[in-house]
Amino acid sequence: MKRYLILLLFTFQGLMAQVQFEARVSKNTLGVNERLRIDFIMNVDGDNFDQPAFEGFKIVAGPSQQISQSWVNGRSSFQKIYSYILQPDKKGTVTIKQAAIEYNGQVYKTAPIKIVVTNAVAQERDPNDRPQGSGNEMLNLVAEISKTSPYLNEPITVVYKLYFNNINVTGFKELAKPKYNDFWNQNIDIKQLSVEEGNYQGQRCYFVILKKTILYPQKAGRLTIEPLSLDIGVQLPTNRRDMFGQMIITDDNKVVSAGAKTINVRPLPESNKPVDFSGAVGKFDFTVTPSKTTLKNGESLELIVSASGTGNMKLFTLPKPVVPNALEMYDPVHDENVTTSLAGMSGKITDKYTIIPQYKGKYAIKPMQFSYFDLNSGSYKTITSKEIMIDVLDGPVQAETNATASKNVISKTEQFKYIKPKTTLVSIAKNDFYGSNLYYTLLFLPFVILPIIILAKKKKEAIDGDVTGNRIRMNNKLAKKYLSQAKKQINNKEAFYIALEKAMHNFLKAKLHIETSEMSKDNIQELLLSRNANPEQVLSFINLTENCEFARYAPASSASIQQDYDKAVLIISALEKQIV
């Protein structure tokens, strides 16, 4: 009976025992080159252990399992441990997610653990594993900066070199990429890694250039370049020897970091800064070139505004030409032909404007100014283009803005007239203004007009703020204008097809919300079909658009021109109804 009572007591204690399952780590903060031990500990023999994914780590060793059980003073204790050795992949805050077990039909989970991974830290090695020899063994990652105190938008280079000596490097991978906050940056391709002889801190060694980057600071002040960290596979000699007396070589991984770099960026001087300065820094040439200066009615010209040289080519805007109202100028087509090397950006950027005269006459395009900061002289330079005269030979004449007012001339015979014998007298007595209808009208008129003014102002602000809507309305207006102009020019083949092509282009701008630079055949076809346009109508529209350029120079009869006009009207009308 006593035996059964003791057994019942132990069974009761087992039922009352609380299940414990937890995760413990060797440290919560470690360097990217250190390792972490994590133990999953349970006080019961749980089943179906489900390890976490260990995102942000690689498993160096594990899982290893330990089981211990003891009896002390009649009490039993049990412990099972699953252990892992982890290596972090990168810097940052990493969360080790929950592990799980099953016990008596219940699922138990550990709490998530946050681990902070910092830059690489110095580590002490096992004395038996230290490299032996003269002590000249090295492995250093260095970020070489071309200039630590540049001007705003002045190019600087960062070259990452791995110096090594008496160590075999078997491979590497990036743990933390460098961050260039507040810099425009571009990597320079390295086609093949090559080992070169060099010198580091007075010691001869070998080095490999791993990465080249060109930077343009976009903000004045102290800017920090976050470090590059690498996990490098190496082979190291040890103080141990094998049975034949030869040195034992061990394979290992070392994490090296280039360290953070601070750049002190100087602002551009405010004294003598031109009003039209748009941020260009370097050495540039500036030109403004028209494709032609003499035009006939209906012809167009291209005005090419370009800057070439070396500097921050992609980081400034070109000045915009100012033309008379009689010349209609379209938005520019921007083109960049720029190459980037360790010396910085160089090449040419261009804005190409299409200009169409509206009236006959001679018109001047004012000189344009382009300003830049010259790094060599440390001063601002300004280049001024020449005035361009455009001569439109024919076409409608612009109405005179200051017409001569007509004058009333009194003839001599009207200086003296017959005195009328009858007069019409008007009473000088007037009704009192106070209390009259006019008085009350003027009194309450502001209260009526004020809400109207406010509503009209809000409506105008809404219309002015609707940039896209205004552009669409303008393109619609231009499409109708050029279609009407094409009809007028049916007897003039070249002018007709120019106007017809512009009508179709502006129709596309209005309906598809695209610009001239996006008007490729494939893009137009894709956009029209996506807006439920009839495929046959789309194909006819594209064919007619492509035919306009060809037809300007090919022989054509008045009948074929009339057919092209009728076809354009039908296609535009059909697409107007189909496009949603």
Side-chain angles (χ1 to χ4, degrees):
M1 186 72 180
K2 186 177 180 180
R3 226 165 105 192
Y4 289 115
L5 184 59
I6 292 173
L7 183 60
L8 181 63
L9 179 61
F10 281 134
T11 304
F12 179 74
Q13 287 179 346
L15 292 173
M16 294 299 292
Q18 185 178 4
V19 176
Q20 295 180 351
F21 181 44
E22 62 178 338
R24 297 177 187 172
V25 293
S26 57
K27 58 180 72 176
N28 292 94
T29 302
L30 72 158
V32 72
N33 59 328
E34 294 185 298
R35 292 177 177 177
L36 175 75
R37 178 188 176 96
I38 182 168
D39 297 322
F40 297 97
I41 307 169
M42 63 192 79
N43 66 343
V44 294
D45 190 8
D47 297 323
N48 299 326
F49 174 70
D50 184 14
Q51 71 180 42
F54 296 121
E55 295 176 359
F57 293 91
K58 68 177 180 182
I59 299 176
V60 177
S64 61
Q65 180 177 317
Q66 303 174 26
I67 297 177
S68 63
Q69 190 169 8
S70 63
W71 288 80
V72 179
N73 296 328
R75 291 187 176 183
S76 68
S77 64
F78 177 88
Q79 189 177 68
K80 181 191 284 188
I81 303 174
Y82 289 94
S83 300
Y84 296 83
I85 303 297
L86 307 177
Q87 173 78 48
D89 288 334
K90 58 183 179 180
K91 295 190 306 177
T93 300
V94 186
T95 300
I96 298 177
K97 296 182 179 179
Q98 296 173 311
I101 60 169
E102 290 183 13
Y103 183 71
N104 287 340
Q106 296 290 325
V107 176
Y108 298 88
K109 295 183 178 181
T110 61
I113 300 176
K114 286 188 177 181
I115 305 296
V116 178
V117 182
T118 63
N119 290 328
V121 297
Q123 289 182 292
E124 287 294 330
R125 299 181 58 85
D126 184 344
N128 290 327
D129 288 334
R130 289 179 182 171
Q132 66 94 38
S134 62
N136 289 333
E137 297 79 9
M138 72 162 63
L139 185 67
N140 290 296
L141 180 63
V142 178
E144 296 183 354
I145 311 293
S146 62
K147 183 176 287 190
T148 57
S149 183
Y151 276 111
L152 186 71
N153 267 313
E154 179 180 359
I156 62 173
T157 58
V158 184
V159 179
Y160 295 91
K161 294 182 179 180
L162 181 67
Y163 290 93
F164 60 94
N165 196 18
N166 295 335
I167 294 178
N168 292 328
V169 177
T170 59
F172 68 91
K173 71 173 184 178
E174 287 189 357
L175 293 180
K177 294 181 180 294
K179 295 180 181 178
Y180 309 110
N181 297 328
D182 297 315
F183 288 93
W184 182 95
N185 66 89
Q186 182 170 325
N187 292 328
I188 307 300
D189 291 335
I190 300 177
K191 295 181 180 180
Q192 185 176 0
L193 299 180
S194 60
V195 179
E196 303 178 45
E197 291 189 14
N199 188 290
Y200 179 70
Q201 295 183 348
Q203 183 177 350
R204 294 189 64 185
C205 59
Y206 297 97
F207 70 89
V208 177
I209 296 177
L210 302 178
K211 192 182 185 72
K212 298 178 182 179
T213 305
I214 185 79
L215 305 176
Y216 284 84
Q218 300 299 293
K219 179 181 176 183
R222 293 174 63 84
L223 305 182
T224 301
I225 299 175
E226 295 293 332
L228 168 68
S229 295
L230 300 177
D231 182 3
I232 301 179
V234 296
Q235 291 180 332
L236 301 171
T238 68
N239 285 328
R240 295 197 293 261
R241 296 180 180 272
D242 60 16
M243 60 184 297
F244 301 103
Q246 295 182 348
M247 186 71 66
I248 296 177
I249 304 296
T250 62
D251 291 325
D252 198 1
N253 287 76
K254 295 193 71 174
V255 175
V256 292
S257 176
K261 300 293 181 181
T262 300
I263 307 298
N264 187 22
V265 182
R266 294 178 289 170
L268 298 178
E270 291 296 328
S271 60
N272 300 321
K273 180 184 286 188
V275 178
D276 60 348
F277 178 70
S278 63
V281 176
K283 182 69 175 178
F284 302 97
D285 289 325
F286 176 70
T287 58
V288 180
T289 308
S291 60
K292 60 178 79 173
T293 55
T294 303
L295 293 87
K296 296 180 181 179
N297 182 34
E299 288 184 333
S300 63
L301 68 92
E302 288 184 343
L303 188 68
I304 301 172
V305 181
S306 62
S308 60
T310 60
N312 57 335
M313 302 294 297
K314 299 181 180 181
L315 304 176
F316 62 85
T317 56
L318 292 169
K320 186 176 181 179
V322 178
V323 301
N325 293 333
L327 302 179
E328 186 173 6
M329 183 173 69
Y330 290 85
D331 292 338
V333 176
H334 185 73
D335 181 59
E336 296 179 354
N337 184 15
V338 179
T339 59
T340 305
S341 65
L342 279 181
M345 287 186 276
S346 61
K348 184 177 184 180
I349 60 173
T350 302
D351 283 342
K352 186 181 295 184
Y353 295 85
T354 298
I355 298 177
I356 301 177
Q358 303 297 306
Y359 303 101
K360 177 183 177 180
K362 292 185 178 182
Y363 306 98
I365 298 178
K366 297 180 179 180
M368 298 174 61
Q369 289 187 334
F370 173 73
S371 300
Y372 66 93
F373 182 74
D374 185 10
L375 293 170
N376 294 330
S377 63
S379 60
Y380 293 98
K381 305 288 185 181
T382 299
I383 302 174
T384 304
S385 66
K386 296 181 179 179
E387 184 180 70
I388 299 173
M389 292 299 300
I390 305 299
D391 187 8
V392 183
L393 300 179
D394 53 13
V397 179
Q398 189 174 11
E400 293 291 338
T401 55
N402 296 321
T404 304
S406 59
K407 298 180 180 180
N408 294 325
V409 181
I410 301 175
S411 62
K412 292 183 179 181
T413 57
E414 292 180 333
Q415 292 180 2
F416 299 98
K417 290 188 177 181
Y418 179 76
I419 299 176
K420 297 181 179 179
K422 294 182 179 181
T423 59
T424 302
L425 301 177
V426 178
S427 173
I428 62 172
K430 297 182 179 178
N431 295 329
D432 193 358
F433 174 72
Y434 182 76
S436 64
N437 292 336
L438 180 59
Y439 169 79
Y440 287 111
T441 300
L442 296 177
L443 180 64
F444 292 105
L445 187 61
F447 297 98
V448 177
I449 294 177
L450 188 60
I452 297 174
I453 293 175
I454 293 173
L455 291 174
K457 184 178 179 182
K458 288 184 177 180
K459 185 174 181 181
K460 184 178 184 302
E461 290 175 350
I463 294 173
D464 293 342
D466 184 11
V467 177
T468 302
N470 289 337
R471 188 182 296 115
I472 292 171
R473 285 189 286 273
M474 177 59 70
N475 290 330
N476 258 325
K477 182 178 178 182
L478 289 173
K480 294 177 182 178
K481 171 184 174 181
Y482 286 114
L483 196 59
S484 175
Q485 187 174 345
K487 186 176 180 180
K488 296 177 182 178
Q489 299 292 340
I490 283 181
N491 295 325
N492 186 345
K493 180 188 67 176
E494 186 174 352
F496 168 79
Y497 282 108
I498 290 175
L500 185 61
E501 184 177 11
K502 291 187 178 299
M504 300 181 77
H505 279 189
N506 282 283
F507 173 76
L508 290 177
K509 288 182 179 180
K511 296 303 176 184
L512 301 183
H513 309 164
I514 60 175
E515 297 300 328
T516 304
S517 58
E518 302 174 87
M519 289 188 184
S520 65
K521 176 181 176 181
D522 294 337
N523 192 32
I524 292 172
Q525 186 172 9
E526 182 181 349
L527 290 173
L528 286 173
L529 292 176
S530 66
R531 302 287 290 274
N532 296 335
N534 185 289
E536 294 182 1
Q537 298 288 354
V538 172
L539 184 59
S540 298
F541 185 91
I542 293 173
N543 290 338
L544 183 57
T545 304
E546 293 177 343
N547 184 53
C548 285
E549 180 67 23
F550 174 77
R552 288 167 57 185
Y553 306 102
S557 64
S558 59
S560 62
I561 293 176
Q562 182 64 48
Q563 289 175 1
D564 285 343
Y565 174 78
D566 295 338
K567 185 186 296 183
V569 173
L570 290 174
I571 293 173
I572 290 176
S573 299
L575 292 177
E576 179 80 29
K577 298 175 183 178
Q578 296 168 10
I579 294 176
V580 296

